[in-house]
Each structure stands twice: as structure tokens, then as C-alpha cells.
Amino acid sequence: MKILYYKEIEALVKELDLMPLIKEGFIAYSEGRSVVPPVGELNFDDPPGEVHIKYGYIIGEEFYVIKIASGFFNNDKLGIPNGQGMMLLFKQETGQCEAILLDDAYLTDVRTAVAGAICADLFAIEVNCIGILGTGLQARMQVQYLKDITPCRQVLVWGRNIEKMEIYQTDMAKDGFKVDLSSSPQDVAKGCNLIITTTASSEPLLTGRDILPGTHITAMGSDTITKQELGADILKISDLVIADSIAQCRERGEIFHGLKSGSIREDEIVELGSILNGSKTGRVTADQITVSDLTGVAVQDIQIAAAVYKSYEESNK
């Protein structure tokens, strides 16, 4: 059994073309070629934190994967990253543990950013400005992974803390992005036709009246039952609502709130893998409003963990 650590994993990821692999994972999921049980979850109040356990396998592939990822929101006060975690790879044939990837949740962050880039590529029209709600790690990575998707380098960011917004502005300038600071989520929606929400908000930050025609929203902060970044009426006015997993979005994310309120019906939701394999239609016209609800599916973890380990094996032959 091999143990890989963060720095090794980070170096291997830089050599991988992950978008095709993550797309293949979503397609396998939507075609019923994977086994993905419901998400395991632990929630903590004092200090506030959450742990997600995602696991599964793609039928006919070499490994099954168990991923443990946590977010403890006071860690920054201790000088520790909020995200922690690891991925465990087991052989499907024997159940033997092949590798432990001690990635400190890095691979979860990467595969989430890749999924956001896939959605932007599929559903956003020509981007005039990238709107970001939030100032954390995903607020950075979601934008960084758009570099090969759009030539747009203009960003409008909103966050609750002005100091963190200014740090974000400085940090993203080093990556070639011109970041302006916004006074409200509504101003972001007025100025951007691609909006990415990356917060842990429990109250909607945007409503239907804020969203302009032609906007695509990638919502990825709401990954539990208690979180919500979008008013449910946004789903009602949207022309296309995409779930990474319909089964999972029944229980968490923006779609959960939309179904609960009656703003959307399940038969109006399209799964991402079904658009990727061509069996369902994506954006049709430039004035449509589209929303992707990314709650994070185990097939993403399976694909990235297996790719990293195979790359390690290749480099050590």
C-alpha cells in the first residue's frame, strides 16, 4: 500500500488533463454505470464544522474510492486550512487498499473547480465579466480554472468582509485577473453574465429579480440541507436547471430548496452527464437563464483519485 502526500499529489495533478476524466465520470453516473451511495455526513456545532463521506465505483474500472473531506470554519483563526481530508483507493477485484492519498482535501477542491469549468464551458455565453460571491479558496479556484474556458479576465467579487475582498483582489491580480469589488450580490448580478456562488450562506443571496437574461449561474456552495445561496424563484424563472446528481440534489443544494418550495419539478431538471453524452439538450439560445447546482458527486473523486495514482505508478516504473 502506498501513501501519497499533498506535495506529491499537487505535482502529479499539474501534469493531468482532468476535464475529460471528470466529464467521463459524470457520463458514467448519468448512464447508470456507477454505484454511488448517499453521502455520509457529520455536522458539528462547537466549533462549527462538517464532514462529508463520499464513496463509490464505476463498473468495470480498477478501483473503488472512499473520500473523507471536512470543513471546520474557525480553522483560519488557528492558522490551519478550513478543508481537511483524504481519499482511499481499494481494488475492486479484491478489496485490498492500494493507496491512501493524504491530500488535505486538495483533490476535492480541484475536482470541484473542474466541474465549474465544465459547466461554464457548456452553458455560459460569451463572458463579459465573471461574478463571484465569496472570497475563499473556491472563489479563487473556480476563476483560475476558467483560464482555458474564456478569455475574460474581468472579475466582480462580493464578500461579507471588505478586508478579505481586498486580499482576494490582490491575490487574483497575480493570476492575471482584474478584480473590482462589489457592494452587494445584486450588483454582481447586474454586471456579470457568468455568476459563481461559493459561500456557505444559509440565506439566499440572490433572487429571481436580480438575474438578467443570458446569465449562467454555477452554484456550488450549497452542499448541505441547511445552505442556500439562491432564492428558489431563480430556479422557477430559469430555462435550464442542471444537477450534477438529481438523486443527491433531492436532499441538498439549491434544487432541494426549489423542489421543497414547489418552484421547480423534478422532471424539469436535467443531469449534467446526460447533457455531456448528448442525450439531453443544453443551452439553446443566448438569452436563456441557466443554473448548475453542483453538490459534488463521488464519481468526481473516483476519477481524480484513480488518475493521480495511475500517474504516480507511471512515473515510478
Side-chain angles (χ1 to χ4, degrees), residues 167-181:
I167 293 170
Y168 179 90
Q169 183 181 46
T170 301
D171 289 348
M172 296 305 293
K174 298 172 186 175
D175 284 323
F177 292 94
K178 183 181 184 301
V179 178
D180 291 323
L181 308 185

Side-chain angles (χ1 to χ4, degrees), residues 3 10 19 30 51 64 67 71 77 91 116-117 125 131 147 171 173-174 179 189 195 207 222 224 231-232 244 262 264:
I3 300 176
E10 185 181 38
M19 280 191 69
S30 292
V51 180
Y64 69 87
K67 190 273 292 287
K77 299 174 184 176
K91 291 183 178 180
I125 58 175
K147 277 191 168 183
D171 289 348
K174 298 172 186 175
V179 178
I195 301 170
T207 65
S222 177
T224 69
D244 52 5
I264 191 169

Side-chain angles (χ1 to χ4, degrees), residues 140 227 291:
R140 289 164 166 75
K227 298 177 187 175
V291 176

Side-chain angles (χ1 to χ4, degrees), residues 138-288:
Q138 273 304 310
R140 289 164 166 75
M141 292 184 69
Q142 288 285 330
V143 174
Q144 290 162 346
Y145 273 75
L146 291 177
K147 277 191 168 183
D148 294 332
I149 303 300
T150 173
C152 181
R153 297 294 181 264
Q154 185 69 43
V155 177
L156 184 58
V157 66
W158 172 85
R160 290 187 174 90
N161 184 304
I162 184 64
E163 183 179 346
K164 289 182 178 180
M165 289 171 64
E166 290 170 347
I167 293 170
Y168 179 90
Q169 183 181 46
T170 301
D171 289 348
M172 296 305 293
K174 298 172 186 175
D175 284 323
F177 292 94
K178 183 181 184 301
V179 178
D180 291 323
L181 308 185
S182 176
S183 60
S184 70
Q186 290 69 35
D187 284 343
V188 172
K190 288 177 185 176
C192 304
N193 61 353
L194 171 59
I195 301 170
I196 305 168
T197 65
T198 71
T199 77
S201 180
S202 58
E203 299 288 340
L205 302 172
L206 294 170
T207 65
R209 64 178 176 272
D210 301 319
I211 309 304
L212 299 177
T215 298
H216 172 70
I217 303 171
T218 295
M220 48 75 53
S222 177
D223 58 355
T224 69
I225 196 170
T226 60
K227 298 177 187 175
Q228 184 179 10
E229 298 180 289
L230 306 180
D233 62 332
I234 292 178
L235 303 186
K236 187 173 184 177
I237 67 168
S238 295
D239 300 281
L240 180 64
V241 177
I242 307 103
D244 52 5
S245 160
I246 291 175
Q248 206 164 277
C249 288
R250 291 190 195 112
E251 300 177 352
R252 60 190 64 236
E254 306 301 336
I255 287 171
F256 161 75
H257 295 287
L259 292 170
K260 184 179 177 182
S261 69
S263 298
I264 191 169
R265 302 189 312 271
E266 188 170 321
D267 62 6
E268 296 175 302
I269 303 163
V270 181
E271 211 160 63
L272 180 56
S274 297
I275 295 175
L276 287 167
N277 72 8
S279 63
K280 297 289 185 179
T281 303
R283 177 184 284 277
V284 177
T285 64
D287 64 346
Q288 287 183 312

